[in-house]
Amino acid sequence: MASDLPPLSADPSPAREQANAKPQAAEGSTTLRQGQQDPAWVRWTLIGLAVIVLIVLVVVPVVNVFVEALGDGVGAYWENIAGNEETLHAIGLTLLVAPISVILNTGFGIVAAWLVARFQFPGRTILVTLIDLPFSVSPVVVGLLFVLLFGMQGYFGPWLRDHGIRIIFATPSIIMVTTFVTFPFVARELIPVFEEIGPDEELAALTLGATPWQMFWHVTLPNIRWGLLYGVILCNARAMGEFGAVYVVSGRIAGQTDTMPLLVERLFQEYNTPGAFAVASLLTLLALVTLIVKAYLERKIDAEK
Amino acid sequence: MGIAVNNVTKTFGAFKALDRVSINVAAGSLCALLGPSGSGKTTLLRILAGLELPDSGTVVAHDDDVTNRSVRERNMGFVFQHYALFRHMTVFDNVAFPLRIRGWSSAKMQERVSELLHLVRLDNLEKRYPAQLSGGQRQRVALARALAASPAVLLLDEPFGALDAKVRLELRQWLRRFHKEIGVTTILVTHDQEEAFEVADQVVVMRQGTVEQAGTPQQIFDHPASAFVMEFLGHVNIFHGRLEDGGRINLGNETPDAQTPVAPPLYVRPHELDLERIGGAGSLAARIVHINPVSSLVRVQLTAVELGVPILVEVTRERFEELALRVGETLYVSPRKARTFLPDYSI
């Protein structure tokens, strides 16, 4: 049907242009480095100082967690974790609270980031400020605020008691404060992602006949997936590690409202050092896994650009 | 009847992007909205697509008032300036997107996508991702995708704006023939007058949110309605001479005094000026500053001896050789044709 159209010549490939540009940049940076180099002793002193600080502040403590945890052998380590009902309950509670908070914040984060990045509306600045609020408020203060609202002497306390609902000193309050504290992670991560992608692909989907819902599933979500996962991972790490706010609202009832970080502190106070380090090693492992996934995602995001 | 925009006004805050704009585009034709940036052409295109809503006025597409329809219901193909291809989808999936959400069977979809990719000459690139394509190829994928669901109207926003000059020229001619073949009513936005004149059946020149002139390329080029259109459509020499009785044109040598009212400026295109060795009445002495012989017409830049104003003249190669022009020589410039416009009320 289109037989009389002329063939179009091949356009210059973008890959070739990049290849041509590279050697120049490399050359430029080499000459720059030679000209700006400091004397050897300055360089090695600075590098040495940085390495020492890193070892003392980061490497030694992290290694020590595992050394202390495994000090009495693998058998004792396993016994400290699996053989202790309180520990198992704390792990279970953390594994309940963190996912719920992450799911809530993922939903909220996507909507908030999308609104902030795509639209100008009255109250937009207030929304941005509210997203950042949990970063700037001390978690202990957050805990106190929730006690003030839902505690026995709080505003909603009497009503909740009359209806037999327990929030403070129970799981609901732990979920609430954890969600509050980890509120900004997904939204903050996604705002720049949305801004960089721009609205054109979404608008294109609409002009092609997609419903807003189809647009979200087929265009928006796939475009933000790595940034979203990155935010979720950070949100999850923070949710599992939250201490201050949970400390205040949980009432610290052993075997009932102790999460993993609270349990580490309790065991340590009770001079059960191997037990404390055993639970701490689990949280540290989570941190290491988070960092590995984070590094992987960062490479993935860079590759997509 | 194709598409009609009636008295559309659109403001963004205090900025009036469109001020009572009306245009008519015949069914099956290709219309170019031409204007400098900020003239409202892209806003008008987005209002046609439903991506913006007008403050007042109506949009009628094929005898159907679509002013209050959603983007989705209008079924107009829109090609974005930066293509807006779905970056996580292959070329095939991009073009198949409008079909997939309409629930086409995969066999029918396969057939339609192959047909479209053949139409835009991208037969073997189905499995590529947008990032692996050149600008011109992306542009054509966007075009194929916009056409997939057989839209009644095709809207193109600066379709060649982001491409380099050579690809641009090629795609321009290609689009012309392509439009002939598919016959879909098409409106394109451009700030490049050459582009508009080459591809369009009808050109609408816009300025500061209003339509300055609408017509065929020939009408607009031969009979510009205002000084703005005249200046926008290509290089123009402006003289403060005057039209004398009997239609003779007197260029310059005119010292304005308090008694005679200031005549409106004369607009003369470079090809409407002639160069001569011997000066006649009303001609202007000018010295050659630069000669550019690269195209079929030779462009000669001169400076008027008395007034010091620059003049650009285009002469044919034959005339150029006949006169044996050299830089530094002084010649006489006389117009074959000149236009004046009534001064703008704003001045």
Side-chain angles (χ1 to χ4, degrees):
Chain A
M1 66 189 284
S3 50
D4 61 338
L5 283 175
L8 286 153
S9 69
D11 303 323
S13 107
R16 204 182 308 143
E17 286 167 29
Q18 274 171 10
N20 289 340
K22 256 181 197 155
Q24 278 185 342
E27 238 173 54
S29 63
T30 330
T31 46
L32 195 76
R33 216 176 286 149
Q34 275 165 356
Q36 294 190 332
Q37 239 173 22
D38 287 313
W41 67 271
V42 175
R43 276 184 283 141
W44 289 112
T45 311
L46 288 174
I47 292 171
L49 273 174
V51 169
I52 289 168
V53 168
L54 198 71
I55 288 173
V56 171
L57 290 183
V58 179
V59 179
V60 170
V62 169
V63 172
N64 190 47
V65 168
F66 292 99
V67 170
E68 291 281 347
L70 295 164
D72 297 337
V74 178
Y77 177 70
W78 183 249
E79 189 57 30
N80 272 326
I81 292 169
N84 185 329
E85 218 163 283
E86 279 181 23
T87 305
L88 287 178
H89 186 270
I91 293 172
L93 185 59
T94 294
L95 290 182
L96 172 75
V97 170
I100 293 176
S101 300
V102 168
I103 289 167
L104 289 174
N105 282 334
T106 301
F108 166 79
I110 292 173
V111 173
W114 191 69
L115 285 176
V116 167
R118 289 282 180 271
F119 302 98
Q120 296 292 334
F121 51 91
R124 182 176 173 274
T125 321
I126 294 171
L127 181 60
V128 175
T129 314
L130 279 178
I131 291 171
D132 284 338
L133 185 71
F135 272 156
S136 50
V137 178
S138 161
V140 176
V141 175
V142 174
L144 283 173
L145 283 174
F146 275 81
V147 170
L148 210 66
L149 283 178
F150 301 108
M152 280 305 174
Q153 272 75 47
Y155 294 109
F156 306 122
W159 186 89
L160 290 168
R161 187 193 51 214
D162 293 346
H163 291 78
I165 303 168
R166 248 184 103 99
I167 289 185
I168 297 299
F169 305 150
T171 312
S173 66
I174 299 175
I175 293 173
M176 284 160 87
V177 293
T178 306
T179 307
F180 185 94
V181 169
T182 57
F183 197 70
F185 284 92
V186 174
R188 264 287 145 207
E189 195 55 50
L190 286 183
I191 290 172
V193 174
F194 273 120
E195 275 169 357
E196 198 197 300
I197 290 170
D200 278 4
E201 285 179 51
E202 291 171 358
L203 293 176
L206 293 180
T207 64
L208 294 168
T211 61
W213 195 238
Q214 285 170 323
M215 175 198 89
F216 178 77
W217 278 112
H218 295 295
V219 177
T220 309
L221 203 56
N223 270 343
I224 60 167
R225 63 191 191 275
W226 298 119
L228 180 63
L229 207 53
Y230 187 94
V232 165
I233 292 288
L234 291 185
C235 183
N236 181 57
R238 185 78 170 80
M240 288 195 169
E242 176 50 32
F243 180 83
V246 176
Y247 186 96
V248 176
V249 297
S250 71
R252 315 189 60 222
I253 307 161
Q256 276 188 46
T257 60
D258 263 352
T259 59
M260 286 169 76
L262 294 188
L263 183 66
V264 172
E265 199 256 3
R266 173 198 295 284
L267 292 172
F268 190 73
Q269 295 296 337
E270 290 169 356
Y271 300 105
N272 183 353
T273 313
F277 275 105
V279 181
S281 72
L282 291 179
L283 286 171
T284 311
L285 271 180
L286 166 79
L288 293 177
V289 170
T290 303
L291 287 179
I292 292 167
V293 175
K294 182 171 161 287
Y296 169 78
L297 287 175
E298 275 168 358
R299 274 172 53 184
K300 201 89 186 165
I301 292 169
D302 279 348
E304 294 233 326
K305 285 176 189 168
Chain B
M1 189 54 238
I3 298 163
V5 170
N6 305 314
N7 268 316
V8 161
T9 297
K10 174 77 184 173
T11 52
F12 296 105
F15 176 67
K16 205 158 213 179
L18 293 173
D19 188 7
R20 284 164 290 145
V21 167
S22 298
I23 62 168
N24 280 297
V25 180
S29 71
L30 203 169
C31 170
L33 302 179
L34 175 66
S37 57
S39 59
K41 55 195 193 304
T42 296
T43 306
L44 183 56
L45 197 74
R46 291 171 72 91
I47 283 174
L48 280 165
L51 295 171
E52 305 275 1
L53 289 177
D55 300 339
S56 64
T58 57
V59 177
V60 179
H62 301 107
D63 297 321
D64 192 7
D65 187 340
V66 297
T67 315
N68 295 312
R69 298 269 176 81
S70 74
V71 181
R72 195 163 56 90
E73 292 165 329
R74 293 194 190 191
N75 191 23
M76 292 187 180
F78 196 103
V79 176
F80 290 77
Q81 186 176 3
H82 299 287
Y83 324 126
L85 296 178
F86 305 131
R87 63 192 82 188
H88 62 281
M89 292 186 199
T90 60
V91 167
F92 180 92
D93 288 333
N94 262 285
V95 179
F97 181 83
L99 310 176
R100 193 161 275 151
I101 56 174
R102 284 170 174 80
W104 284 38
S105 72
S106 69
K108 268 180 75 189
M109 206 154 68
Q110 180 77 48
E111 193 186 324
R112 175 74 175 148
V113 173
S114 304
E115 182 190 314
L116 285 160
L117 289 179
H118 180 71
L119 194 66
V120 297
R121 293 283 176 272
L122 292 171
D123 296 272
N124 300 314
L125 301 178
E126 290 191 353
K127 292 191 178 65
R128 297 269 192 99
Y129 282 89
Q132 299 166 313
L133 302 176
S134 70
Q137 290 169 335
R138 285 181 214 177
Q139 180 63 69
R140 282 177 280 147
V141 174
L143 206 54
R145 185 180 68 176
L147 289 168
S150 310
V153 180
L154 187 59
L155 306 170
L156 312 172
D157 186 6
E158 297 269 4
F160 313 123
L163 301 171
D164 56 53
K166 184 171 167 284
V167 181
R168 214 169 152 137
L169 273 176
E170 221 174 46
L171 270 181
R172 221 190 254 171
Q173 291 156 9
W174 178 82
L175 178 70
R176 174 79 265 193
R177 301 189 205 192
F178 183 74
H179 174 259
K180 279 255 155 60
E181 210 168 290
I182 58 170
V184 175
T185 313
T186 304
I187 299 179
L188 81 89
V189 155
T190 179
H191 61 267
D192 180 344
Q193 51 93 11
E194 240 178 85
E195 191 169 293
F197 278 41
E198 186 163 334
V199 298
D201 304 312
Q202 189 197 356
V203 175
V204 176
V205 183
M206 295 188 66
R207 177 200 190 186
Q208 290 172 4
T210 57
V211 173
E212 192 81 1
Q213 189 176 6
T216 65
Q218 184 92 43
Q219 282 168 352
I220 290 179
F221 197 81
D222 291 346
H223 308 286
S226 66
F228 172 82
V229 176
M230 181 86 192
E231 285 188 66
F232 191 72
L233 296 188
H235 193 91
V236 63
N237 297 294
I238 302 169
F239 296 102
H240 292 277
R242 70 161 165 206
L243 274 152
E244 290 179 342
D245 303 334
R248 226 162 47 82
I249 304 157
N250 191 343
L251 281 191
N253 300 351
E254 181 83 357
T255 32
D257 51 58
Q259 275 78 37
T260 49
V262 180
L266 298 172
Y267 292 80
V268 189
R269 293 243 181 255
H271 68 268
E272 291 165 349
L273 285 169
D274 201 9
L275 289 176
E276 271 158 313
R277 290 256 171 222
I278 302 148
S283 66
L284 196 62
R287 202 167 47 79
I288 300 178
V289 185
H290 183 75
I291 296 171
N292 179 0
V294 287
S295 66
S296 55
L297 287 172
V298 178
R299 304 181 133 210
V300 184
Q301 276 174 41
L302 307 101
T303 307
V305 171
E306 273 178 49
L307 306 166
V309 293
I311 303 170
L312 184 71
V313 180
E314 283 175 357
V315 293
T316 60
R317 220 155 243 289
E318 292 75 36
R319 181 79 181 135
F320 172 68
E321 276 154 19
E322 192 187 317
L323 289 167
L325 299 174
R326 295 255 170 72
V327 172
E329 289 178 320
T330 300
L331 281 99
Y332 295 91
V333 179
S334 60
R336 283 188 287 263
K337 195 175 172 187
R339 290 183 191 81
T340 62
F341 299 97
L342 288 176
D344 261 18
Y345 56 88
S346 59
I347 296 171

